[in-house]
Amino acid sequence: MQVDYIILGQGISGTFLSYYLQQQGKTVLVIDTPQSYTASKIASGVINPVTGRRIVKTWLIDELLPFCWSAYTEIGNLLAVSLIRQCNVLDFHATPQMQEAFASRIAEDASLLCVRGDKAYWQQYFRFNYGIGEVNPCWLVDLQTLLPHWRQYLMAHNALLEDYFDWKQCEIAEEKVQYKNITASKILCCEGVGGARNPYFQLLPFALNKGDAIIAHIPNLPATNIYKQGISIVPWNEKDVFWIGSTYDWNYADVQPTAAFKSKVEAQLDYWLKLPYTLTDHFAAERPANVERRPFVGLHPVHSAVGILNGMGTKGCSLAPYFAHQLTAYLVDGLPIEPLANVQRFTQVLSR
Ligand SMILES: Cc1cc2nc3c(=O)[nH]c(=O)nc-3n(C[C@H](O)[C@H](O)[C@H](O)COP(=O)(O)OP(=O)(O)OC[C@H]3O[C@@H](n4cnc5c(N)ncnc54)[C@H](O)[C@@H]3O)c2cc1C
């Protein structure tokens, strides 16, 4: 079998990279090993334009918000599914200090933040004392629909191999990749946390972290918003079903669900939520984060037949489509990759 590109991994990164390369008329074979819990499979799908205690704008967000709206709409049109909607975050301030911090950010820059005036309406669902701040707009993407639908699309186009990719069986030449009976001009690595074991890229400064998520049945809670107070409650893929998360653990012995997180969620829901709820599932996965919080995009500085799209950290839903598009434009038309994301910034490390 001969293809233009082997793409290793079908998380959000491999999904969008295979989509854009196919749109450009390139042939791809995506190799992905089925796993129940990967970062993309358990992510809540939120694209939030602000971050941190100071509620500052996230990197590149002015480009990412419109780009992602188009990207998920277009791939959704191809697959005949709806994948993105507006779903603003409502931040139920836990302390007067948090309420003040939100108000002072509005005084500095009101473009994405406002104070909700309908406290009485939300009091039927939540207990809170210090008001509600709204982040507007936020997008919510449906990865639970995108990932399996794209997998089926690839299968129907003979572009998917469900298998564990074994680097020992891969030969890399200057402009040629041979893997078993598959020949390609390049291999593009979108393995998420698997990238930290990739023989060509393992020296990149990966800093994996673990995140837990819980699924809850909460009848009658409106699916119109994402609710935050210590934890986030995010509408999931069925009526009355919500995703609750998350943790950012840097020290962990395994990737099993953490009992302490479940206790924390129960305590917070008992205090905050006025509706009855049932926890129905609990899972965890590692995020492919890195110390710089900037993705790894482009070709290996020494082995130009090997490329990468990884390091999405906590922001894969927005960064993966954007940089998959940029990597495609680089491969097909030679257009530049954003220098802060280009993996060539690690030329010294990767040349060892
Ligand atoms: C709890 C949690 C919540 C999150 N919520 C959000 C959110 O709301 N918004 C947001 O933007 N981001 C969120 N993230 C982060 C987001 O999930 C990641 O940034 C993103 O999913 C990374 O996607 P990826 O495709 O690069 O990697 P992955 O999702 O890890 O995909 C890699 C794929 O490669 C395959 N693979 C790896 N090695 C091999 C091999 N050798 N052979 C075959 N296949 C292989 C894996 O099976 C997998 O399918 C969250 C993460 C977690 C853990």
Side-chain angles (χ1 to χ4, degrees), residues 72-83 145 149-150 153:
Y72 285 96
T73 304
E74 282 161 19
I75 194 171
N77 288 344
L78 177 66
L79 299 172
V81 288
S82 169
L83 296 173
T145 298
H149 275 76
W150 185 247
Y153 181 93

Side-chain angles (χ1 to χ4, degrees), residues 9 11-13 32-33 35 39-40 43-46 165 192 313-317:
I12 315 174
S13 301
D32 186 87
T33 183
Q35 287 188 63
S40 297
S44 56
V46 177
F165 184 88
T314 58
K315 305 254 177 294
C317 295

Side-chain angles (χ1 to χ4, degrees), residues 336-350:
I337 295 170
E338 156 71 47
L340 290 173
N342 197 326
V343 73
Q344 301 268 338
R345 70 194 190 275
F346 296 105
T347 293
Q348 223 178 342
V349 171
L350 294 175

Side-chain angles (χ1 to χ4, degrees), residues 52-106:
R53 281 198 189 160
R54 288 220 61 247
I55 323 164
V56 290
K57 274 188 177 185
T58 63
W59 183 53
L60 290 179
I61 198 63
D62 292 335
E63 288 87 29
L64 292 175
L65 279 179
F67 182 89
C68 288
W69 188 270
S70 305
Y72 285 96
T73 304
E74 282 161 19
I75 194 171
N77 288 344
L78 177 66
L79 299 172
V81 288
S82 169
L83 296 173
I84 187 163
R85 68 177 172 106
Q86 182 167 352
C87 193
N88 291 352
V89 168
L90 297 186
D91 191 344
F92 292 76
H93 309 303
T95 63
Q97 290 78 10
M98 286 174 168
Q99 185 177 22
E100 267 165 41
F102 202 91
S104 35
R105 275 302 289 148
I106 293 179

Side-chain angles (χ1 to χ4, degrees), residues 8-14 31-35 38-47 163-167 190-194 197 210-213 243 246 285-288 309-318:
L8 175 48
Q10 195 239 324
I12 315 174
S13 301
I31 303 180
D32 186 87
T33 183
Q35 287 188 63
T38 62
S40 297
K41 283 184 181 164
I42 77 159
S44 56
V46 177
I47 300 178
D163 200 4
Y164 181 80
F165 184 88
D166 178 7
W167 279 102
C190 307
E191 311 131 288
V193 295
R197 293 182 300 274
K210 175 181 165 184
D212 277 61
W243 178 105
S246 184
E286 289 173 296
R287 297 180 184 87
L309 180 67
N310 204 332
M312 300 299 156
T314 58
K315 305 254 177 294
C317 295
S318 53

